[in-house]
């Protein structure tokens, strides 16, 4: 499966939602689905970080609309290329470290 990660700061609308989320990170593991590695973490836009329990974890296929792209430069393009090349291995390693869930 080919991944095309959006830059940090991108503002998206998720399927079945009217709220917007600003992408804040990549490959988080969250308590809502233990042992699973999501594509993105984000925060409600335009509020940003308010509380730990208001950080959203979601996958690329949950994005319905991209409203705005975050800042992109040479360093960001290089990082995204590396991330896209190795995302499957990174996810596999992170889930293996997490160990089996009881």
């Amino acid at each position: 499966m080919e991944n095309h990660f959006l830059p940090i700061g991108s503002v998206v609308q998720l399927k079945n939602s009217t709220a917007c989320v600003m992408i804040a990170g990549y490959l988080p593991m969250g308590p809502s689905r233990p042992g699973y590695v999501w594509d993105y973490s984000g925060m409600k836009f335009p509020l940003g970080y308010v509380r730990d329990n208001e950080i959203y974890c979601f996958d690329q296929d949950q994005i319905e609309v991209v409203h705005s792209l975050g800042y992109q430069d040479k360093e960001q393009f290089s990082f995204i290329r590396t991330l896209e090349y190795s995302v499957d291995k990174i996810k596999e390693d992170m889930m293996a470290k997490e160990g089996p869930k009881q």
Side-chain angles (χ1 to χ4, degrees), residues 28-91:
M29 294 179 83
S32 66
R33 194 169 169 188
Y36 182 78
V37 180
W38 301 88
D39 291 336
Y40 298 104
S41 64
M43 297 163 217
K44 203 178 281 188
F45 181 84
L47 298 174
Y49 177 82
V50 177
R51 291 182 206 90
D52 285 346
N53 66 346
E54 292 184 14
I55 296 174
Y56 301 96
C57 296
F58 56 97
D59 287 326
Q60 180 72 30
D61 63 359
Q62 292 175 274
I63 297 173
E64 184 159 14
V65 179
V66 177
H67 288 288
S68 177
L69 284 177
Y71 178 71
Q72 299 178 77
D73 65 3
K74 179 171 76 170
E75 185 176 8
Q76 187 272 340
F77 286 123
S78 176
F79 175 78
I80 293 297
R81 271 193 307 276
T82 301
L83 181 63
E84 289 174 348
Y85 176 77
S86 55
V87 65
D88 293 332
K89 177 74 172 130
I90 293 169
K91 283 186 174 188

